[in-house]
Amino acid sequence: MSPMHFSLYSAFFLGLTGLALNRYHLLSALLCLESMLLTLFISIAIWTLTLNSTSCSIIPMILLTFSACEASAGLAILVATSRSHGSDNLQNLNLLQC
């Protein structure tokens, strides 16, 4: 395994473990999701560069677009929960209440 692959795998799994273990604030969960998507974007961009194929060159841009949409939706949820509940603590949120 090359050092580049090892660093990309470790960055993805650090984001995944941060998402799984650190569930106190919504902002930290969103940052872990963004780090995972950024790692996927870099991995797919490097993969398309090594293939030298023009048919797969749009895939990283599509992933980056979905990542931006996910970030905007996450920030909208963060603002809505901090306005309604007063903080972004995930323990205070109850998904069964409207």
Side-chain angles (χ1 to χ4, degrees):
M1 180 182 297
S2 69
M4 181 183 63
H5 287 107
F6 177 73
S7 62
L8 289 174
Y9 290 148
S10 62
F12 182 80
F13 284 116
L14 278 175
L16 187 64
T17 55
L19 183 64
L21 297 178
N22 192 7
R23 291 189 168 188
Y24 188 68
H25 290 285
L26 181 61
L27 184 62
S28 64
L30 290 174
L31 285 174
C32 289
L33 279 174
E34 283 300 314
S35 70
M36 289 170 56
L37 283 173
L38 183 64
T39 305
L40 280 176
F41 169 73
I42 292 170
S43 299
I44 291 175
I46 291 172
W47 176 66
T48 56
L49 285 176
T50 57
L51 282 180
N52 292 327
S53 175
T54 58
S55 64
C56 296
S57 63
I58 194 70
I59 295 173
M61 297 312 280
I62 292 172
L63 182 69
L64 196 61
T65 305
F66 285 139
S67 175
C69 293
E70 181 264 333
S72 66
L75 286 177
I77 291 171
L78 177 69
V79 168
T81 56
S82 64
R83 283 184 181 173
S84 65
H85 291 83
S87 68
D88 67 336
N89 291 340
L90 290 176
Q91 282 85 19
N92 296 338
L93 298 177
N94 188 0
L95 295 177
L96 298 177
Q97 292 178 340
C98 292

